[in-house]
């Protein structure tokens, strides 16, 4: 399987709409198994987001949009009161699934705006319009990733060795990826890029997902554990860092997978550019700075072991924040669909949203 486009659609389809249902690749079991899980209601999709069948900020947003559409389809023959309260319940359960990635709330807001604009229509029509909007959010995500890819590819020299953390690839989006999208676009442009993938404890998105995506495509990739990045930087084996993000505050502070902050500090110490691939849907202008970004705390079991194997002492106290915040001053540039924003700050970020 490759990520090459087939008939205009990416061949790794993180989410797909099949027979009035949403199917999502089960990212908990990759790469050992490649399975799709089928979803028929908003509550099911919310659970899929919570347990991380689907993950990655843009993909979570797309899934939530489909969750709303699924619920509207389920309720299309219900009475008007049941339709409205059922749909409100769908928004509520989806919004409660994961707190950090703002794309979730961005997508829900878009779905709500479409619902409001078409309230005078029949329930069947509203359901069809909401489904069309979910399809558009996904299609737009791929277009945005390709635009970011084109802008970001220009930043990478031929032969660059690029470190990435977590998975900001096709699996984290509707296709192409954000950070991995930049790498894909650079490769498509004829550059010889090699990737160093942090394994990304505790959920292992780097080892399981990023490495898998790169291997499928024949893009050279070397897997390291998270504590090896500093050593490789010191040995001169890394030319650039590119990561994705779950939420960027108005001042340019970046929330991303736990461990990103550590990489950014190391990159600055070694004079290595630290780039963040960031669609505008991931920027939250309502938050003045990164301290206001809600950081999800996940189950202790993710730290004390993996699947059936527990290696830590029973009952040990555990912290498991799933994200951290990298201050804007450590970010060389944000790569957006509207272009590259060097030294992000309140002024240049605000300008991105002006016509
Ligand atoms: O917990 P996850 O796997 O959802 O975290 C994902 C990340 O941190 C990604 O880097 C981020 O969502 C950007 S994905 C394009």
């Amino acid at each position: 399987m490759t990520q090459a486009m087939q008939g205009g659609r990416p061949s790794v389809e993180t989410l797909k709409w099949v027979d009035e249902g949403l199917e999502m690749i089960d990212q908990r079991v990759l790469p050992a198994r490649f399975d799709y899980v089928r979803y028929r209601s908003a509550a099911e999709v919310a659970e899929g987001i919570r347990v991380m069948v689907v993950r990655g900020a843009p993909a979570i947003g797309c899934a939530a949009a489909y969750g709303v559409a699924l619920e509207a389809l389920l309720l299309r023959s219900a009475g008007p009161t049941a339709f409205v309260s059922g749909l409100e319940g769908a928004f509520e359960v989806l919004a409660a699934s994961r707190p950090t990635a703002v794309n979730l709330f961005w997508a829900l807001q878009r779905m709500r705006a479409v619902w409001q604009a078409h309230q005078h229509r029949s329930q069947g029509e509203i359901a069809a319009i909401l489904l069309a909007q979910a399809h558009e959010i996904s299609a737009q995500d791929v277009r945005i990733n390709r635009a970011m890819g084109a802008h970001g590819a220009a930043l990478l020299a031929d032969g660059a060795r690029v470190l990435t953390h977590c998975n900001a690839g096709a699996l984290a989006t509707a296709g192409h990826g954000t950070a991995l999208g930049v790498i894909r676009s650079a490769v498509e442009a004829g550059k010889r890029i090699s990737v160093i993938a942090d394994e990304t404890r505790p959920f292992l998105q780097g080892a399981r997902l990023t490495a898998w995506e790169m291997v499928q495509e024949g893009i050279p990739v070397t897997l390291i554990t998270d504590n090896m990045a500093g050593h490789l930087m010191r040995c001169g084996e890394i030319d650039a860092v590119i990561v994705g993000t779950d939420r960027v505050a108005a001042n340019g502070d970046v929330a991303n997978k736990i461990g990103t902050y550590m990489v950014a500090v190391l990159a600055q110490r070694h004079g290595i550019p630290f780039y963040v691939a960031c669609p505008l849907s991931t920027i939250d202008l309502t938050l003045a700075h990164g301290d206001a970004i809600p950081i999800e705390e996940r189950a202790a079991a993710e730290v004390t072991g993996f699947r059936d194997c527990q290696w830590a002492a029973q009952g040990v106290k555990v912290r498991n924040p799933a994200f951290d915040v990298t201050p804007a001053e450590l970010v060389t540039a944000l790569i957006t669909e509207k272009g590259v924003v060097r030294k992000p700050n309140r002024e240049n970020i605000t300008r991105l949203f002006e016509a």
Side-chain angles (χ1 to χ4, degrees), residues 52 54-60 98 101 165-169 172-173 177-179 203 205 209 243-246 255-258 260 277 279 296 298 322-323:
M52 292 171 71
V54 68
R55 29 69 49 201
I60 291 172
R98 287 189 81 188
H165 191 75
C166 194
N167 171 268
T173 63
T178 63
F203 206 72
Q205 289 94 331
L209 308 177
V243 296
T245 169
D246 291 84
N256 191 46
K257 179 51 53 194
I258 192 76
T260 302
E296 177 184 15
R298 292 189 64 87
F323 300 93

PDB file of all heavy atoms in Angstrom, residues 52 54-60 98 101 165-169 172-173 177-179 203 205 209 243-246 255-258 260 277 279 296 298 322-323, ligand 1:
ATOM      1  N   MET A  52      -8.699   6.529  20.557  1.00  0.00           N
ATOM      2  CA  MET A  52      -7.656   6.774  19.566  1.00  0.00           C
ATOM      3  C   MET A  52      -7.603   5.742  18.430  1.00  0.00           C
ATOM      4  O   MET A  52      -6.538   5.429  17.913  1.00  0.00           O
ATOM      5  CB  MET A  52      -6.292   6.964  20.247  1.00  0.00           C
ATOM      6  CG  MET A  52      -6.269   8.258  21.040  1.00  0.00           C
ATOM      7  SD  MET A  52      -4.840   8.497  22.099  1.00  0.00           S
ATOM      8  CE  MET A  52      -3.533   8.778  20.933  1.00  0.00           C
ATOM      9  N   VAL A  54      -8.968   6.750  15.816  1.00  0.00           N
ATOM     10  CA  VAL A  54      -8.544   7.861  14.971  1.00  0.00           C
ATOM     11  C   VAL A  54      -7.885   8.877  15.886  1.00  0.00           C
ATOM     12  O   VAL A  54      -8.305   9.073  17.023  1.00  0.00           O
ATOM     13  CB  VAL A  54      -9.748   8.482  14.212  1.00  0.00           C
ATOM     14  CG1 VAL A  54     -10.715   9.184  15.150  1.00  0.00           C
ATOM     15  CG2 VAL A  54      -9.291   9.431  13.116  1.00  0.00           C
ATOM     16  N   ARG A  55      -6.798   9.487  15.384  1.00  0.00           N
ATOM     17  CA  ARG A  55      -6.092  10.482  16.204  1.00  0.00           C
ATOM     18  C   ARG A  55      -5.365  11.409  15.234  1.00  0.00           C
ATOM     19  O   ARG A  55      -5.325  11.162  14.041  1.00  0.00           O
ATOM     20  CB  ARG A  55      -5.151   9.849  17.250  1.00  0.00           C
ATOM     21  CG  ARG A  55      -4.528   8.535  16.993  1.00  0.00           C
ATOM     22  CD  ARG A  55      -3.492   8.543  15.889  1.00  0.00           C
ATOM     23  NE  ARG A  55      -2.543   9.618  16.072  1.00  0.00           N
ATOM     24  CZ  ARG A  55      -1.813  10.111  15.102  1.00  0.00           C
ATOM     25  NH1 ARG A  55      -1.896   9.644  13.876  1.00  0.00           N
ATOM     26  NH2 ARG A  55      -0.960  11.096  15.330  1.00  0.00           N
ATOM     27  N   GLY A  56      -4.763  12.461  15.805  1.00  0.00           N
ATOM     28  CA  GLY A  56      -4.178  13.489  14.951  1.00  0.00           C
ATOM     29  C   GLY A  56      -5.223  14.579  14.758  1.00  0.00           C
ATOM     30  O   GLY A  56      -6.385  14.277  14.425  1.00  0.00           O
ATOM     31  N   ALA A  57      -4.817  15.826  14.990  1.00  0.00           N
ATOM     32  CA  ALA A  57      -5.794  16.916  15.082  1.00  0.00           C
ATOM     33  C   ALA A  57      -6.734  17.024  13.867  1.00  0.00           C
ATOM     34  O   ALA A  57      -7.961  17.032  14.038  1.00  0.00           O
ATOM     35  CB  ALA A  57      -5.062  18.235  15.327  1.00  0.00           C
ATOM     36  N   PRO A  58      -6.217  17.102  12.626  1.00  0.00           N
ATOM     37  CA  PRO A  58      -7.159  17.263  11.503  1.00  0.00           C
ATOM     38  C   PRO A  58      -8.072  16.048  11.325  1.00  0.00           C
ATOM     39  O   PRO A  58      -9.265  16.200  11.026  1.00  0.00           O
ATOM     40  CB  PRO A  58      -6.239  17.449  10.290  1.00  0.00           C
ATOM     41  CG  PRO A  58      -4.938  17.948  10.877  1.00  0.00           C
ATOM     42  CD  PRO A  58      -4.809  17.231  12.178  1.00  0.00           C
ATOM     43  N   ALA A  59      -7.541  14.841  11.551  1.00  0.00           N
ATOM     44  CA  ALA A  59      -8.369  13.634  11.393  1.00  0.00           C
ATOM     45  C   ALA A  59      -9.480  13.595  12.444  1.00  0.00           C
ATOM     46  O   ALA A  59     -10.609  13.174  12.155  1.00  0.00           O
ATOM     47  CB  ALA A  59      -7.500  12.378  11.490  1.00  0.00           C
ATOM     48  N   ILE A  60      -9.166  14.056  13.649  1.00  0.00           N
ATOM     49  CA  ILE A  60     -10.190  14.113  14.701  1.00  0.00           C
ATOM     50  C   ILE A  60     -11.311  15.071  14.277  1.00  0.00           C
ATOM     51  O   ILE A  60     -12.501  14.786  14.465  1.00  0.00           O
ATOM     52  CB  ILE A  60      -9.561  14.562  16.044  1.00  0.00           C
ATOM     53  CG1 ILE A  60      -8.638  13.474  16.602  1.00  0.00           C
ATOM     54  CG2 ILE A  60     -10.634  14.913  17.063  1.00  0.00           C
ATOM     55  CD1 ILE A  60      -7.825  13.902  17.825  1.00  0.00           C
ATOM     56  N   ARG A  98     -12.074  14.497  23.219  1.00  0.00           N
ATOM     57  CA  ARG A  98     -10.665  14.809  23.549  1.00  0.00           C
ATOM     58  C   ARG A  98     -10.541  16.331  23.625  1.00  0.00           C
ATOM     59  O   ARG A  98     -11.105  17.036  22.789  1.00  0.00           O
ATOM     60  CB  ARG A  98      -9.692  14.239  22.504  1.00  0.00           C
ATOM     61  CG  ARG A  98      -9.536  12.731  22.580  1.00  0.00           C
ATOM     62  CD  ARG A  98      -8.397  12.233  21.691  1.00  0.00           C
ATOM     63  NE  ARG A  98      -7.099  12.394  22.325  1.00  0.00           N
ATOM     64  CZ  ARG A  98      -5.943  12.175  21.678  1.00  0.00           C
ATOM     65  NH1 ARG A  98      -5.938  11.828  20.410  1.00  0.00           N
ATOM     66  NH2 ARG A  98      -4.793  12.307  22.311  1.00  0.00           N
ATOM     67  N   ALA A 101      -6.868  19.026  20.805  1.00  0.00           N
ATOM     68  CA  ALA A 101      -6.863  19.404  19.383  1.00  0.00           C
ATOM     69  C   ALA A 101      -8.040  20.332  19.081  1.00  0.00           C
ATOM     70  O   ALA A 101      -9.199  19.939  19.178  1.00  0.00           O
ATOM     71  CB  ALA A 101      -6.942  18.155  18.510  1.00  0.00           C
ATOM     72  N   HIS A 165       8.375  14.144  15.268  1.00  0.00           N
ATOM     73  CA  HIS A 165       7.913  13.572  16.537  1.00  0.00           C
ATOM     74  C   HIS A 165       6.437  13.257  16.386  1.00  0.00           C
ATOM     75  O   HIS A 165       5.693  14.021  15.774  1.00  0.00           O
ATOM     76  CB  HIS A 165       8.132  14.607  17.654  1.00  0.00           C
ATOM     77  CG  HIS A 165       7.935  14.059  19.041  1.00  0.00           C
ATOM     78  ND1 HIS A 165       8.858  13.238  19.644  1.00  0.00           N
ATOM     79  CD2 HIS A 165       6.930  14.215  19.925  1.00  0.00           C
ATOM     80  CE1 HIS A 165       8.422  12.910  20.854  1.00  0.00           C
ATOM     81  NE2 HIS A 165       7.253  13.493  21.045  1.00  0.00           N
ATOM     82  N   CYS A 166       6.010  12.138  16.926  1.00  0.00           N
ATOM     83  CA  CYS A 166       4.621  11.684  16.820  1.00  0.00           C
ATOM     84  C   CYS A 166       4.312  11.313  15.366  1.00  0.00           C
ATOM     85  O   CYS A 166       5.219  10.979  14.591  1.00  0.00           O
ATOM     86  CB  CYS A 166       3.640  12.750  17.347  1.00  0.00           C
ATOM     87  SG  CYS A 166       1.956  12.104  17.617  1.00  0.00           S
ATOM     88  N   ASN A 167       3.043  11.366  14.987  1.00  0.00           N
ATOM     89  CA  ASN A 167       2.659  11.121  13.594  1.00  0.00           C
ATOM     90  C   ASN A 167       1.773  12.266  13.137  1.00  0.00           C
ATOM     91  O   ASN A 167       0.670  12.462  13.661  1.00  0.00           O
ATOM     92  CB  ASN A 167       1.906   9.793  13.426  1.00  0.00           C
ATOM     93  CG  ASN A 167       1.317   9.670  12.020  1.00  0.00           C
ATOM     94  OD1 ASN A 167       0.185  10.042  11.774  1.00  0.00           O
ATOM     95  ND2 ASN A 167       2.108   9.181  11.087  1.00  0.00           N
ATOM     96  N   ALA A 168       2.292  13.034  12.192  1.00  0.00           N
ATOM     97  CA  ALA A 168       1.517  14.107  11.563  1.00  0.00           C
ATOM     98  C   ALA A 168       1.456  13.794  10.070  1.00  0.00           C
ATOM     99  O   ALA A 168       1.761  14.619   9.223  1.00  0.00           O
ATOM    100  CB  ALA A 168       2.152  15.460  11.843  1.00  0.00           C
ATOM    101  N   GLY A 169       1.052  12.559   9.794  1.00  0.00           N
ATOM    102  CA  GLY A 169       1.045  12.074   8.416  1.00  0.00           C
ATOM    103  C   GLY A 169      -0.354  11.908   7.864  1.00  0.00           C
ATOM    104  O   GLY A 169      -1.323  12.487   8.375  1.00  0.00           O
ATOM    105  N   ALA A 172      -2.965  11.041  10.305  1.00  0.00           N
ATOM    106  CA  ALA A 172      -3.418  12.076  11.246  1.00  0.00           C
ATOM    107  C   ALA A 172      -4.320  13.097  10.568  1.00  0.00           C
ATOM    108  O   ALA A 172      -4.731  14.072  11.204  1.00  0.00           O
ATOM    109  CB  ALA A 172      -2.202  12.780  11.845  1.00  0.00           C
ATOM    110  N   THR A 173      -4.601  12.866   9.291  1.00  0.00           N
ATOM    111  CA  THR A 173      -5.361  13.834   8.491  1.00  0.00           C
ATOM    112  C   THR A 173      -6.288  13.061   7.544  1.00  0.00           C
ATOM    113  O   THR A 173      -6.338  11.837   7.593  1.00  0.00           O
ATOM    114  CB  THR A 173      -4.398  14.693   7.641  1.00  0.00           C
ATOM    115  OG1 THR A 173      -3.703  13.821   6.722  1.00  0.00           O
ATOM    116  CG2 THR A 173      -3.367  15.424   8.492  1.00  0.00           C
ATOM    117  N   GLY A 177      -1.005  14.504   4.957  1.00  0.00           N
ATOM    118  CA  GLY A 177      -0.346  14.821   6.228  1.00  0.00           C
ATOM    119  C   GLY A 177       0.081  16.266   6.307  1.00  0.00           C
ATOM    120  O   GLY A 177       0.103  16.990   5.307  1.00  0.00           O
ATOM    121  N   THR A 178       0.440  16.695   7.526  1.00  0.00           N
ATOM    122  CA  THR A 178       0.931  18.073   7.707  1.00  0.00           C
ATOM    123  C   THR A 178       2.464  18.045   7.718  1.00  0.00           C
ATOM    124  O   THR A 178       3.093  18.371   6.716  1.00  0.00           O
ATOM    125  CB  THR A 178       0.344  18.719   8.970  1.00  0.00           C
ATOM    126  OG1 THR A 178       0.763  18.003  10.141  1.00  0.00           O
ATOM    127  CG2 THR A 178      -1.161  18.762   8.923  1.00  0.00           C
ATOM    128  N   ALA A 179       3.079  17.598   8.817  1.00  0.00           N
ATOM    129  CA  ALA A 179       4.554  17.519   8.835  1.00  0.00           C
ATOM    130  C   ALA A 179       5.043  16.505   7.800  1.00  0.00           C
ATOM    131  O   ALA A 179       5.961  16.801   7.008  1.00  0.00           O
ATOM    132  CB  ALA A 179       5.037  17.145  10.239  1.00  0.00           C
ATOM    133  N   PHE A 203       2.400   6.329  23.455  1.00  0.00           N
ATOM    134  CA  PHE A 203       1.454   5.677  22.544  1.00  0.00           C
ATOM    135  C   PHE A 203       2.145   5.188  21.267  1.00  0.00           C
ATOM    136  O   PHE A 203       1.532   4.506  20.443  1.00  0.00           O
ATOM    137  CB  PHE A 203       0.300   6.642  22.219  1.00  0.00           C
ATOM    138  CG  PHE A 203      -0.987   5.966  21.848  1.00  0.00           C
ATOM    139  CD1 PHE A 203      -1.753   5.306  22.806  1.00  0.00           C
ATOM    140  CD2 PHE A 203      -1.442   5.981  20.542  1.00  0.00           C
ATOM    141  CE1 PHE A 203      -2.950   4.679  22.463  1.00  0.00           C
ATOM    142  CE2 PHE A 203      -2.636   5.358  20.190  1.00  0.00           C
ATOM    143  CZ  PHE A 203      -3.390   4.705  21.152  1.00  0.00           C
ATOM    144  N   GLN A 205       3.247   6.623  18.474  1.00  0.00           N
ATOM    145  CA  GLN A 205       2.785   7.043  17.137  1.00  0.00           C
ATOM    146  C   GLN A 205       3.933   7.093  16.133  1.00  0.00           C
ATOM    147  O   GLN A 205       3.727   6.869  14.936  1.00  0.00           O
ATOM    148  CB  GLN A 205       2.128   8.434  17.216  1.00  0.00           C
ATOM    149  CG  GLN A 205       0.784   8.474  17.921  1.00  0.00           C
ATOM    150  CD  GLN A 205       0.920   8.811  19.389  1.00  0.00           C
ATOM    151  OE1 GLN A 205       1.940   8.515  20.014  1.00  0.00           O
ATOM    152  NE2 GLN A 205      -0.095   9.417  19.968  1.00  0.00           N
ATOM    153  N   LEU A 209       3.273   4.376  13.540  1.00  0.00           N
ATOM    154  CA  LEU A 209       2.519   5.014  12.444  1.00  0.00           C
ATOM    155  C   LEU A 209       3.420   5.762  11.457  1.00  0.00           C
ATOM    156  O   LEU A 209       3.343   5.540  10.248  1.00  0.00           O
ATOM    157  CB  LEU A 209       1.454   5.959  13.029  1.00  0.00           C
ATOM    158  CG  LEU A 209       0.531   5.329  14.098  1.00  0.00           C
ATOM    159  CD1 LEU A 209      -0.433   6.362  14.668  1.00  0.00           C
ATOM    160  CD2 LEU A 209      -0.237   4.136  13.535  1.00  0.00           C
ATOM    161  N   VAL A 243       7.348  19.186  12.927  1.00  0.00           N
ATOM    162  CA  VAL A 243       6.290  18.507  13.685  1.00  0.00           C
ATOM    163  C   VAL A 243       4.938  19.078  13.284  1.00  0.00           C
ATOM    164  O   VAL A 243       4.866  20.131  12.637  1.00  0.00           O
ATOM    165  CB  VAL A 243       6.484  18.678  15.222  1.00  0.00           C
ATOM    166  CG1 VAL A 243       7.766  18.016  15.695  1.00  0.00           C
ATOM    167  CG2 VAL A 243       6.453  20.156  15.611  1.00  0.00           C
ATOM    168  N   GLY A 244       3.883  18.403  13.679  1.00  0.00           N
ATOM    169  CA  GLY A 244       2.534  18.936  13.521  1.00  0.00           C
ATOM    170  C   GLY A 244       2.132  19.645  14.802  1.00  0.00           C
ATOM    171  O   GLY A 244       2.962  19.884  15.686  1.00  0.00           O
ATOM    172  N   THR A 245       0.867  19.978  14.923  1.00  0.00           N
ATOM    173  CA  THR A 245       0.394  20.623  16.148  1.00  0.00           C
ATOM    174  C   THR A 245      -1.095  20.355  16.361  1.00  0.00           C
ATOM    175  O   THR A 245      -1.837  20.126  15.407  1.00  0.00           O
ATOM    176  CB  THR A 245       0.663  22.148  16.140  1.00  0.00           C
ATOM    177  OG1 THR A 245      -0.046  22.758  17.222  1.00  0.00           O
ATOM    178  CG2 THR A 245       0.224  22.800  14.841  1.00  0.00           C
ATOM    179  N   ASP A 246      -1.488  20.410  17.607  1.00  0.00           N
ATOM    180  CA  ASP A 246      -2.896  20.230  17.980  1.00  0.00           C
ATOM    181  C   ASP A 246      -3.601  21.539  18.253  1.00  0.00           C
ATOM    182  O   ASP A 246      -4.821  21.634  18.146  1.00  0.00           O
ATOM    183  CB  ASP A 246      -3.003  19.324  19.210  1.00  0.00           C
ATOM    184  CG  ASP A 246      -2.614  17.915  18.827  1.00  0.00           C
ATOM    185  OD1 ASP A 246      -1.402  17.629  18.822  1.00  0.00           O
ATOM    186  OD2 ASP A 246      -3.507  17.126  18.486  1.00  0.00           O
ATOM    187  N   ALA A 255       1.012  23.738  21.011  1.00  0.00           N
ATOM    188  CA  ALA A 255       0.777  22.468  21.722  1.00  0.00           C
ATOM    189  C   ALA A 255       0.918  21.330  20.723  1.00  0.00           C
ATOM    190  O   ALA A 255       0.362  21.373  19.623  1.00  0.00           O
ATOM    191  CB  ALA A 255      -0.617  22.454  22.337  1.00  0.00           C
ATOM    192  N   ASN A 256       1.694  20.344  21.096  1.00  0.00           N
ATOM    193  CA  ASN A 256       1.822  19.132  20.267  1.00  0.00           C
ATOM    194  C   ASN A 256       2.132  17.962  21.196  1.00  0.00           C
ATOM    195  O   ASN A 256       2.260  18.115  22.419  1.00  0.00           O
ATOM    196  CB  ASN A 256       2.900  19.315  19.193  1.00  0.00           C
ATOM    197  CG  ASN A 256       2.865  18.205  18.154  1.00  0.00           C
ATOM    198  OD1 ASN A 256       1.798  17.846  17.654  1.00  0.00           O
ATOM    199  ND2 ASN A 256       4.010  17.615  17.840  1.00  0.00           N
ATOM    200  N   LYS A 257       2.265  16.813  20.612  1.00  0.00           N
ATOM    201  CA  LYS A 257       2.487  15.568  21.357  1.00  0.00           C
ATOM    202  C   LYS A 257       3.577  15.723  22.418  1.00  0.00           C
ATOM    203  O   LYS A 257       4.609  16.347  22.174  1.00  0.00           O
ATOM    204  CB  LYS A 257       2.862  14.475  20.355  1.00  0.00           C
ATOM    205  CG  LYS A 257       3.147  13.111  20.912  1.00  0.00           C
ATOM    206  CD  LYS A 257       2.089  12.591  21.831  1.00  0.00           C
ATOM    207  CE  LYS A 257       0.692  12.620  21.226  1.00  0.00           C
ATOM    208  NZ  LYS A 257      -0.360  12.424  22.270  1.00  0.00           N
ATOM    209  N   ILE A 258       3.338  15.148  23.571  1.00  0.00           N
ATOM    210  CA  ILE A 258       4.294  15.206  24.672  1.00  0.00           C
ATOM    211  C   ILE A 258       5.702  14.812  24.169  1.00  0.00           C
ATOM    212  O   ILE A 258       5.864  13.819  23.459  1.00  0.00           O
ATOM    213  CB  ILE A 258       3.819  14.297  25.842  1.00  0.00           C
ATOM    214  CG1 ILE A 258       4.627  14.549  27.100  1.00  0.00           C
ATOM    215  CG2 ILE A 258       3.810  12.817  25.483  1.00  0.00           C
ATOM    216  CD1 ILE A 258       4.260  15.812  27.806  1.00  0.00           C
ATOM    217  N   THR A 260       7.508  17.087  22.422  1.00  0.00           N
ATOM    218  CA  THR A 260       7.848  18.064  21.375  1.00  0.00           C
ATOM    219  C   THR A 260       8.671  19.213  21.955  1.00  0.00           C
ATOM    220  O   THR A 260       9.644  19.677  21.339  1.00  0.00           O
ATOM    221  CB  THR A 260       6.545  18.611  20.730  1.00  0.00           C
ATOM    222  OG1 THR A 260       5.804  17.512  20.208  1.00  0.00           O
ATOM    223  CG2 THR A 260       6.857  19.592  19.621  1.00  0.00           C
ATOM    224  N   ALA A 277       4.217  22.423  11.107  1.00  0.00           N
ATOM    225  CA  ALA A 277       3.220  22.432  10.036  1.00  0.00           C
ATOM    226  C   ALA A 277       1.857  22.644  10.664  1.00  0.00           C
ATOM    227  O   ALA A 277       1.424  21.852  11.509  1.00  0.00           O
ATOM    228  CB  ALA A 277       3.264  21.116   9.267  1.00  0.00           C
ATOM    229  N   PRO A 279      -2.094  23.947   9.844  1.00  0.00           N
ATOM    230  CA  PRO A 279      -3.225  24.525   9.099  1.00  0.00           C
ATOM    231  C   PRO A 279      -3.893  25.607   9.933  1.00  0.00           C
ATOM    232  O   PRO A 279      -3.846  25.566  11.171  1.00  0.00           O
ATOM    233  CB  PRO A 279      -4.158  23.323   8.895  1.00  0.00           C
ATOM    234  CG  PRO A 279      -3.757  22.314   9.909  1.00  0.00           C
ATOM    235  CD  PRO A 279      -2.312  22.545  10.238  1.00  0.00           C
ATOM    236  N   GLU A 296      -4.596  17.326  27.692  1.00  0.00           N
ATOM    237  CA  GLU A 296      -5.241  16.052  28.050  1.00  0.00           C
ATOM    238  C   GLU A 296      -4.305  15.198  28.911  1.00  0.00           C
ATOM    239  O   GLU A 296      -3.112  15.091  28.628  1.00  0.00           O
ATOM    240  CB  GLU A 296      -5.567  15.290  26.748  1.00  0.00           C
ATOM    241  CG  GLU A 296      -6.163  13.920  26.950  1.00  0.00           C
ATOM    242  CD  GLU A 296      -6.372  13.192  25.614  1.00  0.00           C
ATOM    243  OE1 GLU A 296      -5.798  13.619  24.585  1.00  0.00           O
ATOM    244  OE2 GLU A 296      -7.098  12.190  25.629  1.00  0.00           O
ATOM    245  N   ARG A 298      -3.948  11.327  30.085  1.00  0.00           N
ATOM    246  CA  ARG A 298      -4.513  10.028  29.703  1.00  0.00           C
ATOM    247  C   ARG A 298      -4.226   8.972  30.780  1.00  0.00           C
ATOM    248  O   ARG A 298      -3.560   9.237  31.774  1.00  0.00           O
ATOM    249  CB  ARG A 298      -3.979   9.597  28.321  1.00  0.00           C
ATOM    250  CG  ARG A 298      -4.525  10.502  27.213  1.00  0.00           C
ATOM    251  CD  ARG A 298      -4.204   9.991  25.836  1.00  0.00           C
ATOM    252  NE  ARG A 298      -4.826   8.722  25.528  1.00  0.00           N
ATOM    253  CZ  ARG A 298      -6.056   8.578  25.026  1.00  0.00           C
ATOM    254  NH1 ARG A 298      -6.799   9.632  24.775  1.00  0.00           N
ATOM    255  NH2 ARG A 298      -6.523   7.370  24.759  1.00  0.00           N
ATOM    256  N   ALA A 322      -0.685  14.132  27.673  1.00  0.00           N
ATOM    257  CA  ALA A 322      -0.522  13.662  26.291  1.00  0.00           C
ATOM    258  C   ALA A 322       0.104  14.710  25.376  1.00  0.00           C
ATOM    259  O   ALA A 322       0.523  14.387  24.257  1.00  0.00           O
ATOM    260  CB  ALA A 322      -1.879  13.231  25.743  1.00  0.00           C
ATOM    261  N   PHE A 323       0.151  15.952  25.850  1.00  0.00           N
ATOM    262  CA  PHE A 323       0.690  17.042  25.011  1.00  0.00           C
ATOM    263  C   PHE A 323       1.553  17.954  25.863  1.00  0.00           C
ATOM    264  O   PHE A 323       1.444  17.951  27.096  1.00  0.00           O
ATOM    265  CB  PHE A 323      -0.466  17.855  24.388  1.00  0.00           C
ATOM    266  CG  PHE A 323      -1.365  17.004  23.520  1.00  0.00           C
ATOM    267  CD1 PHE A 323      -2.508  16.417  24.050  1.00  0.00           C
ATOM    268  CD2 PHE A 323      -1.048  16.757  22.203  1.00  0.00           C
ATOM    269  CE1 PHE A 323      -3.321  15.603  23.273  1.00  0.00           C
ATOM    270  CE2 PHE A 323      -1.859  15.938  21.411  1.00  0.00           C
ATOM    271  CZ  PHE A 323      -2.993  15.358  21.947  1.00  0.00           C
TER     272      PHE A 323
HETATM  273  O1  LIG B   1      -2.533  11.986  20.623  1.00  0.00           O
HETATM  274  P1  LIG B   1      -2.492  12.147  19.135  1.00  0.00           P
HETATM  275  O2  LIG B   1      -1.899  10.984  18.430  1.00  0.00           O
HETATM  276  O3  LIG B   1      -3.849  12.535  18.586  1.00  0.00           O
HETATM  277  O4  LIG B   1      -1.532  13.371  18.907  1.00  0.00           O
HETATM  278  C1  LIG B   1      -1.271  13.787  17.599  1.00  0.00           C
HETATM  279  C2  LIG B   1      -0.252  14.864  17.513  1.00  0.00           C
HETATM  280  O5  LIG B   1       0.251  15.343  18.499  1.00  0.00           O
HETATM  281  C3  LIG B   1       0.040  15.387  16.142  1.00  0.00           C
HETATM  282  O6  LIG B   1       1.361  15.812  16.070  1.00  0.00           O
HETATM  283  C4  LIG B   1      -0.883  16.562  15.833  1.00  0.00           C
HETATM  284  O7  LIG B   1      -2.227  16.203  16.038  1.00  0.00           O
HETATM  285  C5  LIG B   1      -0.739  17.036  14.452  1.00  0.00           C
HETATM  286  S1  LIG B   1      -1.388  15.874  13.303  1.00  0.00           S
HETATM  287  C6  LIG B   1      -1.312  16.517  11.752  1.00  0.00           C
END
